[in-house]
Structures are given as C-alpha cells and as structure tokens.
Amino acid sequence: MSYRSDIHDEIVSILGNISKTNGYVNNINLVTKKIEDIETLSTFPTLSVIAGSQSYQIIDEQEKLYSVKSSFVVIGYVKSDTDTNNGAILSQDCDDLLNDIKQCILLNDETIFDNTEALEIKLQNDTAIYDFDNNIATVMLSFEATYNEVGILPN
C-alpha cells in the first residue's frame, strides 16, 4: 500500500461521514473511487474521489528522501427536484454540496494527518457543470496532498 493510496482511502472514508446528523446540509450515501455515469445513478448526491497526477521534489538525494504532491478530485453528482425558479434550486444544491465537501475535508485534516503520512492538504479550486433541463449537475473540487517518501524516485 502506498501513502497515496492511504490518503485516497482516508478521503473516501471521511466524505462518507457527510450527513445532516453530523451538521452538514446533505446526506451522502455513496462515495466511490470511480467516475460515475450521472444518467444511471439512483442515489443523489453521490461522490467520487479520483486520484490524479503526482509531482516529486528531492529533499535529500543521499537519503533518497523526496516530497510528493498528489492531486485528487472530488466529483459530486447532484439532482434537484423540479426547479421552477430558473435553476436557482439546482445552483443552491451545488453550492451546498461543495461547501459540505470543503468543510468535511478541512474539519478532518487532523484525522487525515494522523491516519496517513499526509503533511498538508491544500484545496485548490472548484466548479459546477449544470444541466438545467434535467435538473442535474456535476460539481468538482480539486485538492493536493503533500507527503514525504523514502525510496527511488519513479521515472
């Protein structure tokens, strides 16, 4: 198991705790590690956590110590009831979900640090893509986890 995999697993686990009972706006019933097809989903909102690229910086060449920055994207799938308010309900639902995701990651960063080798979690940017005709949307939040590894740098 790699540090990156540990961080990926931990993010999936903590995002599964998003619920109204825990003080969030949404109840998340499904968090996966794969991109979902919004057309076939039956549970909303659903989250996917996707591992992205990695970059490496040598800290100590002799000790084979390097810093790794791994990117991740959380994709949220939103479906609203019939929106007769020109998309305002769907837009608000997207904002609420993005805020829940950010809050969950930021409030649990110590848990992530304690359970993995992550040294820093840095939220980067978010966006939403709307399909107002079908009252569905996809939100995306990217973030970066930094950690140190010892070993031979990947090519």
Side-chain angles (χ1 to χ4, degrees):
M1 199 62 116
S2 71
Y3 294 154
R4 180 182 186 192
S5 294
D6 292 344
I7 294 166
H8 196 184
D9 290 344
E10 191 66 26
I11 295 293
V12 168
S13 176
I14 65 163
L15 289 175
N17 294 324
I18 294 176
S19 69
K20 292 177 181 176
T21 305
N22 290 335
Y24 296 95
V25 175
N26 291 282
N27 287 315
I28 302 296
N29 296 313
L30 180 63
V31 182
T32 70
K33 288 184 174 182
K34 64 184 182 89
I35 296 173
E36 299 291 338
D37 178 0
I38 196 168
E39 301 294 328
T40 61
L41 281 176
S42 59
T43 302
F44 292 92
T46 290
L47 300 178
S48 298
V49 182
I50 310 301
S53 63
Q54 292 182 291
S55 63
Y56 307 91
Q57 180 178 358
I58 296 172
I59 296 173
D60 186 329
E61 196 165 356
Q62 192 169 7
E63 296 293 323
K64 297 181 181 170
L65 177 65
Y66 53 96
S67 175
V68 182
K69 291 184 179 185
S70 290
S71 65
F72 296 88
V73 177
V74 179
I75 303 170
Y77 307 93
V78 179
K79 183 172 186 168
S80 293
D81 296 328
T82 302
D83 193 341
T84 58
N85 198 15
N86 294 326
I89 294 170
L90 183 60
S91 181
Q92 184 62 54
D93 289 347
C94 289
D95 286 345
D96 290 343
L97 182 58
L98 281 168
N99 288 332
D100 281 352
I101 295 166
K102 290 174 194 176
Q103 181 181 1
C104 184
I105 291 173
L106 293 174
L107 288 176
N108 290 287
D109 62 353
E110 289 299 323
T111 301
I112 298 167
F113 300 151
D114 290 346
N115 293 341
T116 71
E117 295 297 319
L119 301 172
E120 179 182 34
I121 301 290
K122 182 178 173 184
L123 299 179
Q124 293 181 313
N125 48 38
D126 61 66
T127 189
I129 301 168
Y130 301 97
D131 177 351
F132 292 111
D133 293 336
N134 294 305
N135 290 315
I136 57 176
T138 304
V139 299
M140 291 171 274
L141 171 72
S142 61
F143 67 94
E144 186 176 75
T146 303
Y147 54 93
N148 294 334
E149 280 196 11
V150 176
I152 299 171
L153 275 172
N155 292 331

